């Protein structure tokens, strides 16, 4: 992680040197020299990180580099902090400047000496690097290194799958049969079949069961299984292929095989495979660069040859491998019942029917749950528990100390090595982003936007001329997901995955590495009283607010608290003055209702989240947070933002809406008032959600970097200016406009055209007619019409049905007296349809061919709808149908005995009816 520390510091220094807002006069020259020294050892650090496991001296050297980078960062930030604390505005500020001048001179002198000393240390460290022959170490890294041990372990696991008995495998029959069907298919071209999933998910086992089947053995002329280690060369793989194909025919293997070059090896394979039908497995592929060179050695003679690739990377799985196409199979986690069966087969293998004793079942299932359906982890954990005494006390001890066992117990080494390989394969910038996610409690789903904003505040995202940090963050997140290091839910394909999290075992790995590298530490509040704080980032779980945190916190750059039990204001009053160099402060859902004035002293703060707290107002000192990039006060009691907010010229994300009251109401969202000249925030990209006024309506056009804007309290007289302003916002992709009340008319005809990249449109308010530009929303993927109350002769369905990108459509009280809602054609990409609050609606009709990709159908608060929609049988991809406050006739038509509509809905996997009882929202399953 030394490479990460140095790279982040270099980026931070470059930002300082290039932005005049940073007062570094007098030490600029020394800071530049430190940057040059760090850059001079940059390439050496990269090699040292790879080799540190082989040599204790190199490992110590790497730690020294990391620590000196941290020390340089501290000195520079301390200087900026003290200079900032002496700055005052106006005439009083000029007088104070005269008073502080001697202090500033002394501070510059002292800081310059410190930086000179650090520069000397970096030079000494660079000289010591010459003691280590890293080129030799790297060349020999295939022998004896941890990386090699992990790779060998994974290769052994993959190849051992070929010898696992069928009765030891559970839960993969259906996928195996589908895989066999692809292998035996009639497509003449060579086909590449990819099996993708996270490490340990059973990819190799699945493929091995198909590969060793009798059917495959009879249908193919020859076969080969080749494991692909991370450090293998193309020549190595070609030699393995030849050896596998000629297994049992040793006399045909060239005696000089080991000395052959690439061209000779390819010629042998092409000649041998000519006109033969073959099947090849490449197990655990790490990048698709190998295909360009190895693909030419596997001829496509149109005789139904097959190649299978297992990989952890979605991009490799989906790569276009040739005219035969690519078939992608995903290795999914085991269902709970299968996972429990697999665990019992291992833990109780000596018991009759592998039966778990009743007294161990509860704790046993809790242990299995931590594996989240990962077969390798389940088998390893089953083996560990099978070696323990069969007492609830012993098993609970393991459950409560599972993190220690994953790091230290040899019986779980296989799991650790498999996961460690995924981490080691990451470039340094993704390692930071991956490790950062363990700051959140295990199992917690994390908002993708929240995560990217925090990465940006930490300095993990490298900005360049063509991409801003947020766009870089989306690329990083996509790559981590494609490598199957994150689990994902609720995709928003037009922006990013909405929620993501680490697998529980990946979280344990991230925590272990983070604490070892002083990257991030996780404490309970009780532990924080006793432990010395060494990490740069601190996450405190299970906060009761009753303890004071001891120790030196001045070096902490990032602080989060989770799981609040009591009021925490006293704790906050104690902490803030000790966090003078803080970059990230996250207090989501903290039980606090006010903030101390000292908040304004956190000059280095980039990210401040108070979401879900009881905060009623921001302190006036907030205007001093001049480096702040994100201010999140969603779901708070803040109704008015102070005028000083407009002085935060680096602010990029202003998330400021009140607590929502439910989608069945007109005012289902609420904005906040902004005092002052909001349009001065020229770097703002997200404005979510503020009340409009005449000045905002007229001048938001000056905020040309806006990508998302949500305006509430819009009066009819503002409409013309708002339309004119929106026309000027060429980067806008998300728009919400809400009228002042349900009777005000939403007039948006003056909008000349929707911005080309607009992706999401939410219109809240009464509309007399469908805007003429609706049919030109070619890139809109999400359209929400709320309380539109359109008259009978103004139906938007016809013009939006042909929108080529529309995936989500929400209609809430969209019509005044609509009795029939008919979808006749189009909606070719629609996946989610939400119909709500149509009190007169009696019939919904789907004609054949409409909405072929619809997955979810929601029908809420339509009391006169007595029957299921006509043509429901045409929605062949429908997986969920959710009802809310449905009529008893509609419910009976779905689940009543002898119901004539049962055949229409019987194929839908999930049908739920939501209703309220005693003030609590519950649901009943109808499927």
């Amino acid at each position: 992680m030394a490479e990460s520390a140095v790279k982040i510091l270099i980026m931070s220094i470059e930002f300082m040197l290039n932005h005049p807002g940073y007062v570094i006069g007098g030490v600029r020259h020394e800071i530049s020299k430190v940057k040059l020294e760090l850059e001079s050892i940059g390439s050496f650090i990269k090699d040292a990180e790879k080799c540190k496991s082989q040599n204790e001296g190199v490992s110590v050297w790497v730690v020294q580099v990391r620590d000196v980078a941290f020390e340089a960062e501290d000195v520079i930030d301390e200087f900026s902090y003290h200079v900032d604390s002496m700055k005052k505005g106006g005439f009083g500020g000029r007088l104070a400047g005269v008073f502080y001048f001697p202090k500033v001179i002394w501070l510059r002198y002292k800081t310059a000496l410190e930086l000179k000393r650090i520069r000397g240390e970096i030079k000494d460290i660079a000289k010591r690097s010459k003691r280590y022959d890293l080129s030799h170490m790297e060349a020999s890294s295939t022998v004896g290194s941890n990386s090699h041990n992990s790779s060998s372990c994974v290769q052994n696991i993959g190849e051992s799958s070929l010898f696992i008995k069928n009765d030891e495998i559970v839960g993969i029959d259906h996928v195996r049969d589908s895989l066999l069907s692809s292998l035996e298919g009639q497509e003449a071209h060579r086909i590449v079949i990819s099996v993708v999933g996270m490490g340990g998910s059973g990819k190799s086992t699945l493929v091995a069961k198909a590969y060793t089947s009798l059917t495959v053995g009879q249908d193919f002329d020859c076969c080969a299984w080749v494991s692909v280690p991370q450090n293998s060369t193309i020549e190595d793989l070609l030699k393995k292929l030849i050896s596998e194909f000629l297994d049992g025919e040793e006399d045909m293997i060239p005696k000089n095989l080991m000395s052959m070059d690439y061209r000779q090896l390819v010629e042998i394979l092409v000649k041998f495979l000519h006109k033969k039908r073959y099947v090849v497995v490449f197990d655990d592929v790490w990048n698709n660069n190998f295909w360009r060179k190895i693909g030419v050695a596997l001829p496509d003679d149109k005789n139904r040859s097959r190649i299978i690739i297992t990989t952890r990377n979605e991009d490799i799985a989906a790569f276009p491998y040739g005219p035969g196409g690519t078939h992608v199979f995903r290795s999914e986690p085991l269902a709970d019942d299968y996972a429990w069966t697999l665990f019992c087969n291992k833990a109780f293998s000596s018991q009759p029917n592998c039966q778990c004793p009743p007294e161990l079942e509860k704790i046993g299932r809790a242990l299995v749950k931590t594996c989240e359906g990962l077969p390798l982890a389940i088998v390893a954990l089953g083996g560990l528990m099978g070696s323990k005494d069969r007492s609830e006390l012993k098993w609970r001890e393991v459950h409560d100390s599972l993190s220690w066992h994953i790091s230290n117990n040899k019986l779980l080494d296989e799991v650790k090595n498999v996961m460690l390989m995924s981490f080691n394969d990451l470039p340094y910038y993704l390692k930071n982003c991956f490790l950062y996610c363990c700051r959140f409690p295990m199992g917690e789903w994390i908002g993708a936007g929240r995560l990217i904003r925090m990465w940006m505040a930490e300095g993990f995202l490298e900005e360049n001329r063509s991409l801003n940090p947020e766009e870089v963050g989306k690329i990083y997140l996509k790559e981590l997901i494609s490598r199957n290091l994150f689990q994902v839910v609720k995709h928003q394909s037009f922006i990013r995955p909405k929620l993501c999290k680490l697998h529980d075992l990946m979280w344990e790995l991230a925590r272990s590495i983070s604490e070892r590298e002083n990257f991030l530490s996780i404490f309970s509040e009780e532990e924080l009283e006793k432990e010395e704080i060494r990490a740069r980032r601190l996450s405190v779980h299970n906060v009761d607010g009753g303890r004071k945190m001891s120790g030196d916190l001045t070096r902490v750059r990032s602080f989060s608290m989770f799981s609040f039990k009591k009021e925490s204001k006293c704790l906050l009053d104690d902490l803030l003055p000790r966090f003078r160099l803080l970059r990230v402060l996250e207090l989501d859902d903290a039980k606090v209702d006010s903030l101390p004035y000292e908040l304004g002293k956190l000059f280095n703060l980039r990210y401040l989240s108070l979401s879900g707290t009881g905060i009623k107002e921001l302190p006036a000192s907030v205007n001093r947070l001049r480096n702040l990039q994100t201010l999140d006060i969603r779901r708070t009691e803040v109704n008015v933002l102070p005028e000083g907010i407009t002085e935060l010229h680096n602010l990029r994300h202003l998330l400021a809406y009140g607590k929502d009251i439910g989608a069945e109401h007109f005012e289902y969202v609420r904005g906040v008032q902004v005092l002052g000249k909001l349009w001065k925030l020229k770097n703002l990209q997200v404005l979510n959600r503020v009340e409009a006024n005449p000045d905002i309506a007229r001048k938001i056009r000056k905020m040309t970097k806006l990508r998302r804007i949500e305006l509430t309290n819009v009066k009819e007289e503002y409409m013309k200016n708002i339309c004119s302003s929106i026309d000027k916002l060429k980067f806008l992709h998300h728009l919400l406009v809400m009228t002042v009340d349900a009777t005000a008319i939403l007039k948006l005809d003056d909008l000349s055209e929707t911005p080309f990249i607009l992706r999401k449109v939410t219109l809240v308010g009464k509309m007399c007619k469908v805007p003429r530009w609706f049919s030109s929303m070619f890139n809109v993927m999400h359209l929400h019409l709320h309380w539109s109350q359109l008259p009978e002769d103004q139906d938007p369905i016809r013009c939006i049905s042909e929108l080529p990108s529309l995936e989500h459509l929400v209609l809430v009280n969209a019509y005044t007296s609509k009795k029939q809602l008919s979808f006749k054609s189009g909606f070719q990409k629609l996946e989610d349809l939400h119909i709500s609050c149509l009190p007169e609606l009696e019939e919904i009709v789907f004609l054949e061919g409409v909405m072929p990709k619809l997955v979810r159908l929601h029908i809420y608060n339509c009391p006169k709808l007595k029957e299921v929609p006509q043509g429901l049988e045409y929605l062949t991809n429908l997986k969920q149908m959710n009802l809310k406050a449905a009529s008893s006739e509609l419910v009976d038509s779905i689940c009543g005995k002898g119901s004539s509509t049962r055949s229409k809905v019987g194929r839908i996997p999930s049908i739920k009816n939501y209703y309220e009882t005693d003030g609590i929202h519950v649901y009943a399953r109808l499927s």
Side-chain angles (χ1 to χ4, degrees):
M1 301 303 292
E3 184 183 10
S4 300
V6 169
K7 292 278 189 180
I8 289 172
L9 179 55
I10 290 173
M11 286 193 297
S12 179
I13 290 174
E14 285 176 345
F15 187 83
M16 278 186 167
L17 296 174
N18 295 327
H19 285 73
Y22 281 87
V23 183
I24 53 175
V27 295
R28 174 180 291 270
H29 188 57
E30 284 297 332
I31 290 175
S32 298
K33 285 182 178 179
V34 168
K35 173 178 171 284
L36 290 174
E37 292 294 343
L38 290 170
E39 288 173 335
S40 69
I41 59 172
S43 60
F44 193 84
I45 297 171
K46 191 171 184 177
D47 294 336
E49 289 275 18
K50 295 176 184 176
C51 305
K52 64 182 181 181
S53 61
Q54 301 174 52
N55 186 294
E56 188 175 346
V58 175
S59 181
V60 170
W61 184 89
V62 168
V63 170
Q64 290 172 347
V65 172
R66 182 197 68 199
D67 289 346
V68 80
F70 286 162
E71 190 177 1
E73 182 181 41
D74 289 341
V75 170
I76 294 169
D77 284 351
E78 282 279 0
F79 173 78
S80 300
Y81 169 78
H82 287 296
V83 170
D84 183 82
S85 65
M86 298 176 196
K87 288 172 67 176
K88 305 280 184 182
F91 178 71
R94 288 193 291 274
L95 285 178
V98 174
F99 175 76
Y100 284 128
F101 184 70
K103 291 185 178 181
V104 173
I105 295 296
W106 167 246
L107 183 63
R108 288 175 178 173
Y109 174 71
K110 188 174 72 168
T111 303
L113 285 180
E114 282 291 296
L115 290 173
K116 191 172 184 179
R117 177 186 60 79
I118 288 171
R119 189 156 49 88
E121 284 189 26
I122 298 173
K123 286 181 177 180
D124 289 342
I125 289 171
K127 289 176 183 176
R128 288 197 292 275
S129 70
K130 296 176 182 177
R131 301 175 190 172
Y132 312 112
D133 184 359
L134 292 186
S135 59
H136 172 71
M137 288 185 193
E138 192 169 2
S140 62
S141 64
T142 55
V143 182
S145 71
N146 287 349
S147 175
H148 174 65
N149 291 340
S150 298
S151 183
S152 297
C153 170
V154 172
Q155 181 175 334
N156 292 342
I157 292 169
E159 293 177 353
S160 69
S161 302
L162 294 163
F163 308 100
I164 297 175
K165 297 177 182 177
N166 287 333
D167 57 7
E168 296 178 31
I169 300 172
V170 298
I172 65 170
D173 291 350
H174 175 71
V175 185
R176 181 202 58 198
D177 292 344
S178 298
L179 182 57
L180 274 171
S181 178
S182 292
L183 284 169
E184 298 167 345
Q186 297 305 306
E187 170 61 48
H189 277 292
R190 177 193 66 194
I191 290 176
V192 176
I193 302 167
S194 297
V195 181
V196 62
M198 71 177 290
S201 62
K203 303 181 295 294
S204 301
T205 302
L206 170 63
V207 171
K209 288 304 99 186
Y211 180 78
T212 56
S213 71
L214 290 175
T215 309
V216 170
Q218 293 169 357
D219 286 356
F220 290 88
D221 300 317
C222 55
C223 56
W225 179 292
V226 177
S227 298
V228 186
Q230 285 174 308
N231 54 7
S232 59
T233 66
I234 293 297
E235 288 77 12
D236 291 337
L237 298 179
L238 293 172
K239 291 168 187 175
K240 286 182 183 178
L241 271 175
I242 292 170
S243 299
E244 283 277 313
F245 280 134
L246 298 178
D247 186 34
E249 302 179 51
E250 282 74 12
D251 56 318
M252 293 183 63
I253 299 176
K255 291 184 171 55
N256 62 337
L257 179 66
M258 291 298 107
S259 62
M260 284 185 170
D261 61 21
Y262 169 76
R263 180 175 176 177
Q264 292 170 317
L265 295 167
V266 170
E267 286 176 350
I268 290 175
L269 282 167
V270 170
K271 289 178 182 178
F272 176 78
L273 294 174
H274 182 58
K275 298 300 181 182
K276 288 187 175 71
R277 187 180 180 216
Y278 59 85
V279 58
V280 179
V281 175
F282 291 109
D283 188 34
D284 211 16
V285 175
W286 290 91
N287 64 71
N288 49 30
N289 292 332
F290 88 108
W291 182 252
R292 184 174 61 84
K293 292 184 177 180
I294 212 165
V296 297
L298 301 168
D300 181 6
D301 291 329
K302 298 182 182 178
N303 56 0
R304 297 166 57 218
S305 291
R306 303 291 184 256
I307 296 168
I308 307 176
I309 288 173
T310 72
T311 181
R312 309 179 190 201
N313 194 315
E314 301 276 353
D315 292 339
I316 294 172
F319 187 78
Y321 288 99
T326 304
H327 296 195
V328 179
F329 291 84
R330 283 176 175 78
S331 182
E332 302 289 354
L334 290 178
D336 290 346
D337 289 344
Y338 285 129
W340 177 244
T341 299
L342 184 61
F343 175 80
C344 291
N345 288 349
K346 193 70 176 178
F348 307 107
S349 57
S350 60
Q351 297 291 104
N353 299 319
C354 301
Q355 193 73 27
C356 173
E359 67 273 14
L360 293 180
E361 183 166 348
K362 184 176 180 181
I363 186 63
R365 286 188 180 276
L367 282 162
V368 172
K369 189 177 180 181
T370 64
C371 299
E372 296 192 272
L374 207 62
L376 180 67
I378 295 167
V379 169
L381 194 57
L384 173 63
M385 302 318 296
S387 69
K388 301 291 181 183
D389 292 341
R390 287 177 185 154
S391 73
E392 185 181 358
L393 179 62
K394 291 291 185 184
W395 280 45
R396 191 162 295 283
E397 285 177 0
V398 174
H399 177 271
D400 294 342
S401 58
L402 190 58
S403 180
W404 182 90
H405 281 280
I406 290 172
S407 298
N408 300 285
N409 197 306
K410 296 295 183 184
L411 291 175
L412 297 182
D413 271 357
E414 282 188 352
V415 180
K416 183 174 71 175
N417 287 333
V418 165
M419 295 189 169
L420 195 57
M421 283 189 71
S422 292
F423 174 76
N424 288 337
D425 189 54
L426 294 173
Y428 80 90
Y429 54 87
L430 288 183
K431 286 180 178 177
N432 286 332
C433 297
F434 170 77
L435 293 178
Y436 196 73
C437 296
C438 74
R439 73 178 300 137
F440 305 98
M442 181 192 289
E444 179 174 302
W445 290 99
I446 312 160
R450 172 190 181 189
L451 192 56
I452 289 170
R453 290 189 290 271
M454 295 177 85
W455 286 346
M456 178 174 65
E458 294 281 1
F460 296 163
L461 307 181
E462 297 186 45
E463 188 173 3
N464 59 45
R465 291 181 181 177
S466 58
L467 296 174
N468 63 36
E470 291 87 350
E471 290 168 329
V472 173
K474 291 173 190 176
I475 293 170
Y476 287 5
L477 181 61
K478 181 181 180 296
E479 188 167 351
L480 286 168
I481 291 168
S482 75
R483 289 169 177 262
N484 276 285
L485 289 169
F486 280 177
Q487 295 171 306
V488 183
V489 73
K490 292 186 180 179
H491 274 84
Q492 285 186 343
S493 55
F494 57 98
I495 303 175
R496 55 181 174 264
K498 188 156 182 72
L499 297 173
C500 54
K501 79 178 184 75
L502 294 178
H503 187 285
D504 284 1
L505 297 178
M506 278 293 189
W507 186 92
E508 293 284 9
L509 175 71
R511 174 177 180 168
S512 172
I513 296 171
S514 292
E515 297 199 339
R516 185 180 70 236
E517 298 286 347
N518 283 338
F519 178 83
L520 185 150
S521 287
I522 300 168
F523 292 108
S524 66
E525 194 173 0
E526 182 179 353
E527 290 171 328
L528 202 58
E529 283 189 310
K530 307 170 186 176
E531 299 284 343
E532 179 187 358
I533 310 300
R534 300 184 63 189
R536 312 288 278 185
R537 300 167 187 88
L538 189 59
S539 183
V540 185
H541 299 181
N542 303 316
V543 181
D544 65 19
R547 303 172 186 271
K548 286 196 173 183
M549 300 183 188
S550 59
D552 180 13
L553 302 177
T554 55
R555 301 293 177 251
V556 174
R557 292 303 198 280
S558 178
F559 184 78
S560 296
M561 292 197 291
F562 298 95
S563 306
F564 294 87
K565 300 173 184 175
K566 296 180 182 177
E567 200 275 331
S568 308
K569 185 177 184 304
C570 293
L571 177 64
L572 204 57
D573 289 345
D574 171 61
L575 287 174
L576 285 186
R578 301 159 62 192
F579 280 147
R580 61 190 186 209
L581 303 181
L582 206 65
R583 281 173 167 261
V584 172
L585 178 59
E586 185 179 42
L587 302 172
D588 288 19
D589 300 308
K591 298 184 185 301
V592 294
D593 56 15
S594 63
L595 291 171
Y597 185 83
E598 283 74 15
L599 177 71
K601 294 183 179 181
L602 303 180
F603 87 104
N604 208 28
L605 200 64
R606 267 76 164 165
Y607 180 96
L608 174 60
S609 179
L610 306 167
S611 177
T613 64
I615 299 292
K616 295 179 176 61
E617 63 178 4
L618 295 174
S621 62
V622 73
N623 69 322
R624 297 191 61 190
L625 303 178
R626 285 183 285 273
N627 291 311
L628 196 66
Q629 297 170 339
T630 297
L631 175 60
D632 186 350
I633 51 172
R634 293 174 291 183
R635 300 182 295 110
T636 67
E637 301 297 330
V638 176
N639 295 317
V640 181
L641 292 175
E643 189 170 351
I645 219 79
T646 61
E647 297 178 36
L648 308 182
H649 298 301
N650 286 308
L651 197 64
R652 303 171 72 89
H653 299 266
L654 178 54
L655 312 174
Y657 56 79
K659 296 178 180 177
D660 296 345
I661 62 171
E664 290 79 27
H665 301 81
F666 165 74
E667 197 174 1
Y668 81 107
V669 295
R670 180 171 61 85
V672 299
Q673 294 181 44
V674 181
L675 302 179
K677 300 176 180 178
L678 180 67
W679 50 92
K680 288 169 61 179
L681 301 177
K682 297 295 178 61
N683 285 310
L684 203 65
Q685 299 200 14
V686 175
L687 180 57
N688 176 20
R689 167 180 314 144
V690 298
E691 292 186 1
N693 61 41
D695 285 338
I696 288 177
R698 190 172 62 256
K699 295 184 178 180
I700 53 171
R701 69 189 68 190
K702 296 181 179 182
M703 304 166 74
T704 55
K705 293 184 180 180
L706 274 177
R707 293 170 178 264
R708 174 173 180 161
I709 184 168
E710 300 191 2
L711 297 174
T712 66
N713 201 45
V714 176
K715 297 180 180 179
E716 291 184 34
E717 56 265 32
Y718 303 166
M719 296 291 181
K720 193 175 186 68
N721 281 329
I722 285 177
C723 288
S724 177
S725 292
I726 291 172
D727 278 338
K728 304 292 183 183
L729 303 177
K730 299 305 181 184
F731 297 107
L732 198 66
H733 66 62
H734 183 138
L735 171 68
L736 180 147
V737 180
M738 179 180 187
T739 57
V740 65
D741 56 46
T743 62
I745 307 298
L746 189 62
K747 299 177 180 178
L748 295 174
D749 269 350
D750 287 327
L751 192 63
S752 63
E753 59 181 17
T754 56
F756 180 73
I757 63 170
L758 201 62
R759 297 291 186 266
K760 182 174 182 178
V761 176
T762 302
L763 303 177
V764 185
K766 189 174 182 178
M767 300 170 69
C768 295
K769 61 179 181 179
V770 177
R772 54 185 171 75
W773 44 265
F774 257 38
S775 58
S776 66
M777 297 189 294
F778 301 123
N779 294 300
V780 168
M781 295 184 171
H782 185 122
L783 177 62
H784 183 162
L785 301 181
H786 196 91
W787 242 257
S788 306
Q789 303 178 73
L790 284 158
E792 188 72 25
D793 62 339
Q794 290 291 316
D795 192 346
I797 297 299
R798 187 182 298 107
C799 63
I800 65 176
S801 64
E802 300 304 321
L803 296 181
S805 304
L806 191 64
E807 295 180 359
H808 306 265
L809 176 62
V810 182
L811 303 172
V812 181
N813 195 13
Y815 303 92
T816 51
S817 56
K818 194 80 167 175
K819 292 187 176 182
Q820 185 194 66
L821 199 54
S822 182
F823 300 95
K824 298 178 179 179
S825 63
F827 297 104
Q828 294 301 297
K829 282 195 173 183
L830 199 71
E831 297 178 3
D832 200 317
L833 175 61
H834 190 124
I835 301 167
S836 180
C837 299
L838 295 177
E840 302 300 320
L841 187 67
E842 298 176 357
E843 186 179 32
I844 301 175
V845 178
F846 297 101
L847 296 189
E848 188 172 5
V850 76
M851 302 184 191
K853 294 185 178 181
L854 194 71
V855 177
R856 292 168 295 276
L857 174 62
H858 311 268
I859 304 173
Y860 293 173
N861 300 95
C862 299
K864 290 189 178 181
L865 188 65
K866 311 294 186 186
E867 297 181 353
V868 298
Q870 291 184 34
L872 199 64
E873 64 272 18
Y874 299 135
L875 306 178
T876 56
N877 205 40
L878 194 63
K879 300 294 187 294
Q880 298 176 29
M881 185 165 75
N882 296 326
L883 310 175
K884 186 175 181 180
S887 66
S888 57
E889 293 89 345
L890 177 57
V891 173
D892 289 343
S893 73
I894 293 173
C895 60
K897 292 182 180 179
S899 168
S900 60
T901 62
R902 189 65 192 171
S903 59
K904 294 182 180 180
V905 299
R907 60 175 181 75
I908 303 174
S910 174
I911 304 177
K912 296 177 182 178
N913 180 35
Y914 291 84
Y915 58 95
E916 188 176 331
T917 176
D918 298 327
I920 302 173
H921 292 280
V922 294
Y923 69 84
R925 290 188 179 275
L926 306 183
S927 54

